[in-house]
Amino acid sequence: MRQSPKLRFCVQTHSLQDLQQPAVSSKVFIQRDYSSGTICKFQTKFPSELESRLDKQQFEETILALNNLYAEAEKLGGKSYLEGCLACLTAYTIFLCMETHYEKVLKKIARYIKDQNEKVYAPRGLLLTDPIERGLRVVEITIFEDRSIGSGR
Amino acid sequence: MPGGSSKIGGRGPSSSPLPHTVVPPSRPLRPSRYVPVSAATFFLVGSTTLFFCFTCPWLSERFSVAVPIYNGIIFLFVLANFCMATFMDPGIFPRAEEDEDKEDDFRAPLYKTVEIRGIQVRMKWCSTCRFYRPPRCSHCSVCDNCVEDFDHHCPWVNNCIGRRNYRYFFLFLLSLTAHIMAVFGFGLLFILYHRQSIDRLHAIVTLAVMCVAGLFFIPVAGLTGFHIVLVARGRTTNEQVTGKFRGGVNPFTNGCWKNVSHVLCSSQAPRYLGRKKCVQSVCVQPPFLRPQLTEAQLAAKILDNGIQGDLHRSKSSLEMMESQSCDAEPPPPPKPELRYPGITRGNTEECSLLNKAPPTPTMYKYRPTYSPGKNHTALTHAYANQLSRGESVGSARDSSSSTSSLLQASQQPGFRSQPSLDRRDTSSERVGGGGGGERREGGREVGGGGIPGYSLGGRSYPSFSDPTVLSGVASRSSSSTHTSAGAAHVSEATTTSASFKSLANQTTPPHHPSRNGSLSYDSLLAGGDDFDKGVMADSAAPEVASGRPCTPAAGGYSSPFLSSQQRVAEMHSQSSQSPHHRHRSSHHHHHPFLHRSSSSTSSSPPPPPEKERLLSEPHPGSHPPPANQATAPPSSSAPPPPHHHHHHHHHHHSHHHHHSSSSSSSSRPPRFAVPHAPPHHAYPYRTRSTDTPLGSSSTSTTHPPRSPHPPPLGKSLSYSSAAAAEMQYRLVRKASASAGANAAGVGGGGGGGGGGGGMGGGGIQAPKFPG
């Protein structure tokens, strides 16, 4: 019945299970929170699929940190203004050599996500995907199948 | 110039902007696309070169060397911004991957509503890109991409203008205006000093350059002025020409200063296409940590024999039932497994799925929990009522958080793929569908569970559910005081909206490109004849070449947003007032910001009652919303009552003939709150539908007595009355939907006067919001 897919997985990967990543069980998509407009912000509501895998606090912390980072990227500050002026003055050739403020923050975000994955999510069989890969529309959390514990989890 | 991948990744109907690869274009070459941009480049570079060669030498000698330097700098600026606007990726969204579209298209709603600063904004499902378009995003049919903060598709740069390159486009316009003025001015100076030797080559060339400059100055300056106003108001061209915020509040504006600084000073937005994919270097290996294995939780489990955990786990589904069942029958007794503490947690959870789910792998764990048995009725009623209470998507989700997420995680293929004739299955499916998933929440606005008696046996054919869909839509969006009967209709909308997403996915828009919402100047022109002259002239050139697709564009553009009844009504009025059709089509675009999913419906309503309702409206064609509402009630009732109510409508029409539109608009909310006549109570939608036309009936003096016939083809509707009525209608909806009613009322009243000024012009001339 429905045990068969699970068994199939076991049979498939049994010989390679030390090397292969566990099978992907499902994916959760954290949607954008548009309540404050089009600024990049993700919903902090804890998805129920993760209830058995992750603490609510951890999740919220991650999402809030991401939101703060994106807010920093989109901030209209002196730095971004100067960058714009410089770009204008150099007929935008400055973009060939310099990294924009947003890109810098995106790199920071990528590092943060990697860090979170290593410390918090991978040990729990989860994986965060950088939302920039999805056009900043969703944060994708991949839930890996847990074969080490019994079924029904 | 640093270039994006816009030309490569985003062009052509067959290209697909994959997230991390650049797909070489394999579509047929369309040289006509490159004509405007080539002409623009030719004129710009050619004229300026001639100016520098023939006019500037004398000027630099006669006056100062600063003249050519100044002109040179400005021209460089023009070129730089022109190149950036042309070659930069406007903010194309990569296509969503397969796994993101978890729900079966067949059941997922076409629209999803979000609340942005208190205003309901609708997000449409893009069948090409496979996601719900974020607010302000639109799909450009020319480029075949969804573009973030879509402004318009500019033929002069042969590129979409979106979030990433709007700044360059705007600066291009500003600098081009300055450049044209400088060239014309200095050319004039040259000519004035060379009046005697006017037949010399230099003078002739200068005259020619001046002519070109003078010719282009008017449209460019007009367009520049238009965009200055847009930037100040925080609107996009798309929003302006479709009249999305006409008479309403723009949720995306932060005030004039912040809007300007956002355009000019914000950091360059990142591109989504063509990014280097980061290699996932994290190794995920079991054993995995589990939150519930903490000591405290284990202790709790042991002590409570799992009840606490079970309660927690089942609470969410109970919560949903309880919160939804306010107006319906009492919630069913707790699930039996809760009374048996001996059952382990895992098994309990499975039991809580009411034997629907198999005992296992995680991916199958979260099938919808509702049994097709006794629970569903309460759930569906409650759910529908919950929807009708005007909850936002977010809050609605909260109350059904666990369950909806459960549903979201894996939809039941069994339920979804086969429309079931069984009422129970349909209902539970509805509920399951309604409760689950982000996408589902778009349907919440119009769909709860299937209500017994109104269920169409699980068939989601639009033709069946049209009237009830519309009634449901009308009821949903009208007020929070719905009867459960209203909610019953609401439920039907899910079927239609749900099925429409699948239809949308299956059928690519057959005809006009602007149907997809891309705002090329074709639809700009079609959309707004009263547009700013600059825009008109600017777009006139390509339009002349391509013919003026006014009518089809307007009709085509509006069709996705209309139900077929609206289209029917529209066609009727279209035949009678073609000059106004574009206005109508612009009004249709209010729809995205009204939480309705009626656009998905196709038509085959019971025609006579529908037409009766249409008849009763003074602007059947121009007001799909009233038409929607109008069509809603009769379909939900037996034929005799609609006839009866029509007579009441006639009375009301005659009463309100004398009211000014503004007074009626100001009095609308109270009128809306208090139904006029007892018969209206039976049809809450009717109250609204009468309100809408009545307010504007003052402007339509010729209001033939209503009779149960098809709408009069010769009915003429004035543009301003249509605008006024539409605005008042929107006003009513906003009043019921958000707290911003008061502001909207003021704006709506002011907008009523400005509505006659024309779509685009009206938007410009009548500043209605604190932008």
Side-chain angles (χ1 to χ4, degrees):
Chain A
M1 261 178 34
R2 287 197 175 83
Q3 288 285 352
S4 38
K6 186 163 175 288
L7 286 173
R8 272 208 309 275
F9 291 140
C10 287
V11 168
Q12 263 179 353
T13 61
H14 185 69
S15 56
L16 299 168
Q17 68 185 10
D18 291 335
L19 301 173
Q20 261 188 6
Q21 275 206 347
V24 174
S25 157
S26 65
K27 293 191 179 185
V28 188
F29 294 97
I30 313 297
Q31 298 290 331
R32 281 270 293 269
D33 177 9
Y34 291 111
S35 58
S36 329
T38 48
I39 59 167
C40 186
K41 218 178 144 191
F42 291 95
Q43 290 179 358
T44 51
K45 201 177 85 57
F46 187 60
S48 57
E49 294 92 333
L50 300 178
E51 259 169 29
S52 62
R53 300 280 205 138
L54 189 65
D55 287 327
K56 194 171 168 179
Q57 261 66 30
Q58 281 286 2
F59 173 80
E60 271 182 22
E61 204 180 290
T62 308
I63 299 293
L64 286 172
L66 281 177
N67 288 344
N68 287 335
L69 284 168
Y70 283 115
E72 186 196 327
E74 295 181 350
K75 197 165 71 107
L76 297 180
K79 192 157 186 276
S80 60
Y81 175 70
L82 282 175
E83 194 180 86
C85 282
L86 191 64
C88 254
L89 292 174
T90 62
Y92 308 115
T93 52
I94 196 83
F95 288 141
L96 293 168
C97 7
M98 195 183 79
E99 204 177 48
T100 71
H101 171 64
Y102 210 116
E103 288 287 341
K104 286 193 189 121
V105 180
L106 282 180
K107 284 218 170 109
K108 208 161 134 185
I109 289 170
R111 277 199 304 273
Y112 175 76
I113 287 178
K114 185 159 173 256
D115 182 60
Q116 286 283 295
N117 272 335
E118 280 167 6
K119 298 212 177 97
V120 177
Y121 288 83
R124 290 169 170 78
L126 302 170
L127 202 63
L128 278 181
T129 305
D130 198 335
I132 194 73
E133 295 177 18
R134 301 268 181 172
L136 289 184
R137 288 181 300 106
V138 288
V139 176
E140 177 193 328
I141 303 182
T142 315
I143 303 174
F144 288 96
E145 199 181 75
D146 195 352
R147 281 176 279 116
S148 62
I149 307 183
S151 66
R153 295 278 173 186
Chain B
M1 296 294 153
S5 57
S6 65
K7 285 240 189 280
I8 299 170
R11 301 303 177 88
S14 59
S15 72
S16 63
L18 301 178
H20 308 291
T21 63
V22 169
V23 179
S26 55
R27 68 210 175 275
L29 196 64
R30 279 187 284 171
S32 64
R33 279 177 66 178
Y34 300 98
V35 168
V37 65
S38 312
T41 313
F42 169 75
F43 279 112
L44 177 67
V45 175
S47 310
T48 311
T49 310
L50 289 175
F51 172 79
F52 277 118
C53 292
F54 290 90
T55 317
C56 274
W58 177 84
L59 283 169
S60 65
E61 285 169 48
R62 177 70 175 78
F63 296 102
S64 144
V65 77
V67 167
I69 290 176
Y70 167 77
N71 280 297
I73 290 172
I74 296 223
F75 180 58
L76 196 65
F77 201 57
V78 170
L79 273 186
N81 285 301
F82 180 70
C83 289
M84 292 294 268
T86 304
F87 298 114
M88 175 163 272
D89 179 333
I92 295 172
F93 282 112
R95 303 272 197 264
E97 287 169 17
E98 284 300 318
D99 50 13
E100 213 181 311
D101 182 17
K102 290 191 300 288
E103 296 182 10
D104 190 336
D105 290 351
F106 191 62
R107 293 283 169 216
L110 188 63
Y111 289 97
K112 200 166 107 172
T113 312
V114 285
E115 184 164 315
I116 300 181
R117 297 185 188 172
I119 294 172
Q120 300 288 324
V121 170
R122 219 166 44 159
M123 298 183 2
K124 190 176 178 188
W125 170 259
C126 184
S127 49
T128 318
C129 306
R130 319 286 301 173
F131 53 76
Y132 284 93
R133 293 183 197 143
R136 303 196 114 177
C137 163
S138 188
H139 190 95
C140 175
S141 56
V142 181
C143 310
D144 195 33
N145 289 313
C146 268
V147 175
E148 190 174 9
D149 286 2
F150 180 77
D151 192 82
H152 66 284
H153 180 93
C154 184
W156 303 105
V157 299
N158 194 24
N159 194 13
C160 281
I161 308 298
R163 178 182 176 193
R164 296 188 76 231
N165 63 353
Y166 183 76
R167 175 194 339 187
Y168 307 115
F169 177 74
F170 182 64
L171 290 174
F172 166 63
L173 286 180
L174 285 176
S175 54
L176 186 63
T177 310
H179 180 62
I180 290 177
M181 288 198 298
V183 165
F184 188 85
F186 286 117
L188 188 65
L189 201 62
F190 181 96
I191 293 296
L192 287 176
Y193 275 80
H194 286 82
R195 272 185 301 240
Q196 282 67 37
S197 51
I198 204 89
D199 51 346
R200 278 183 58 213
L201 176 69
H202 286 243
I204 293 170
V205 167
T206 306
L207 270 175
V209 167
M210 271 177 67
C211 282
V212 168
L215 211 64
F216 277 101
F217 177 72
I218 294 169
V220 169
L223 192 62
T224 306
F226 174 65
H227 277 275
I228 289 173
V229 173
L230 285 187
V231 166
R233 289 177 146 194
R235 291 185 185 181
T236 63
T237 306
N238 191 10
E239 290 161 355
Q240 178 67 38
V241 302
T242 57
K244 280 188 179 141
F245 305 128
R246 186 189 299 270
V249 180
N250 180 1
F252 303 111
T253 182
N254 301 310
C256 182
W257 172 247
K258 282 220 171 99
N259 293 337
V260 174
S261 60
H262 173 72
V263 167
L264 297 179
C265 309
S266 64
S267 181
Q268 175 65 53
R271 71 174 186 278
Y272 301 130
L273 292 185
R275 290 193 81 88
K276 196 163 42 113
K277 179 163 167 64
C278 85
V279 177
Q280 204 51 265
S281 59
V282 177
C283 180
V284 180
Q285 287 291 344
F288 299 138
L289 300 177
R290 293 273 181 172
Q292 66 270 25
L293 295 178
T294 63
E295 218 178 80
Q297 283 164 324
L298 274 172
K301 272 183 71 166
I302 292 165
L303 287 173
D304 300 334
N305 288 326
I307 288 182
Q308 193 171 22
D310 298 339
L311 279 174
H312 172 73
R313 191 158 286 276
S314 311
K315 189 171 65 168
S316 51
S317 54
L318 272 180
E319 257 171 13
M320 181 173 170
M321 293 195 296
E322 281 155 10
S323 64
Q324 291 167 342
S325 60
C326 289
D327 302 330
E329 52 197 72
K335 297 183 171 62
E337 60 276 6
L338 294 177
R339 306 192 206 111
Y340 300 97
I343 297 176
T344 66
R345 194 151 164 265
N347 288 344
T348 304
E349 182 176 30
E350 288 151 16
C351 290
S352 78
L353 298 178
L354 295 168
N355 305 317
K356 283 278 154 205
T360 65
T362 315
M363 86 169 76
Y364 296 100
K365 190 157 79 157
Y366 297 109
R367 287 177 183 271
T369 62
Y370 304 110
S371 77
K374 52 188 188 273
N375 293 342
H376 83 279
T377 306
L379 285 165
T380 54
H381 275 294
Y383 190 73
N385 284 319
Q386 178 188 23
L387 294 176
S388 65
R389 266 179 254 131
E391 293 183 43
S392 71
V393 169
S395 59
R397 233 190 105 96
D398 286 337
S399 63
S400 62
S401 59
S402 163
T403 330
S404 60
S405 309
L406 288 175
L407 297 168
Q408 181 187 13
S410 69
Q411 302 303 325
Q412 297 179 345
F415 275 108
R416 291 204 187 262
S417 51
Q418 287 139 19
S420 148
L421 286 167
D422 182 17
R423 178 176 69 84
R424 294 179 332 175
D425 287 339
T426 301
S427 306
S428 57
E429 174 185 19
R430 292 272 180 296
V431 171
E438 301 299 334
R439 233 168 277 139
R440 186 64 38 187
E441 288 160 2
R444 284 169 164 238
E445 62 190 39
V446 290
I451 301 297
Y454 291 98
S455 166
L456 298 176
R459 298 271 171 226
S460 55
Y461 301 137
S463 59
F464 278 93
S465 39
D466 253 357
T468 51
V469 165
L470 295 173
S471 67
V473 167
S475 68
R476 168 77 182 101
S477 27
S478 65
S479 78
S480 55
T481 59
H482 277 285
T483 61
S484 58
H489 303 304
V490 163
S491 69
E492 285 315 312
T494 311
T495 11
T496 304
S497 57
S499 64
F500 192 75
K501 182 182 160 198
S502 65
L503 293 178
N505 284 336
Q506 290 156 19
T507 65
T508 57
H511 33 276
H512 204 275
S514 45
R515 235 186 126 214
N516 251 351
S518 87
L519 201 71
S520 70
Y521 277 107
D522 290 352
S523 48
L524 250 188
L525 188 61
D529 287 339
D530 294 339
F531 225 35
D532 199 66
K533 253 196 183 163
V535 176
M536 278 286 289
D538 188 40
S539 49
E543 297 323 307
V544 164
S546 61
R548 271 188 55 153
C550 260
T551 307
Y557 192 4
S558 59
S559 50
F561 297 97
L562 297 178
S563 73
S564 57
Q565 285 129 355
Q566 296 158 0
R567 265 173 252 148
V568 166
E570 181 191 15
M571 276 187 282
H572 281 300
S573 357
Q574 226 177 22
S575 58
S576 62
Q577 33 154 10
S578 50
H580 301 298
H581 71 266
R582 50 141 173 61
H583 176 72
R584 187 173 44 252
S585 70
S586 76
H587 284 310
H588 298 326
H589 305 308
H590 286 288
H591 282 287
F593 291 95
L594 308 173
H595 44 285
R596 318 164 53 103
S597 61
S598 58
S599 67
S600 60
T601 64
S602 62
S603 68
S604 62
E610 304 302 343
K611 301 244 166 87
E612 285 177 39
R613 297 302 311 142
L614 292 174
L615 264 191
S616 69
E617 313 297 344
H619 316 290
S622 301
H623 299 285
N628 251 352
Q629 298 169 348
T631 55
S635 60
S636 61
S637 62
H643 293 279
H644 171 62
H645 286 289
H646 275 294
H647 297 306
H648 280 270
H649 277 295
H650 307 331
H651 296 312
H652 280 286
H653 283 311
S654 59
H655 282 303
H656 292 277
H657 260 254
H658 309 293
H659 294 174
S660 69
S661 60
S662 57
S663 68
S664 55
S665 70
S666 58
S667 64
R668 168 133 324 106
R671 277 200 302 156
F672 173 68
V674 178
H676 295 281
H680 287 278
H681 282 291
Y683 299 98
Y685 335 113
R686 261 178 210 266
T687 308
R688 282 174 57 238
S689 55
T690 50
D691 285 353
T692 309
L694 291 173
S696 57
S697 64
S698 59
T699 52
S700 65
T701 52
T702 60
H703 203 73
R706 295 280 67 83
S707 56
H709 295 309
L713 294 180
K715 200 165 170 19
S716 72
L717 299 171
S718 74
Y719 183 82
S720 57
S721 67
E726 156 103 68
M727 265 179 296
Q728 284 154 356
Y729 172 75
R730 282 173 50 71
L731 181 65
V732 169
R733 294 180 66 91
K734 287 258 162 38
S736 62
S738 73
N742 290 337
V746 172
M759 208 169 47
I764 296 172
Q765 295 153 16
K768 282 181 285 298
F769 65 85

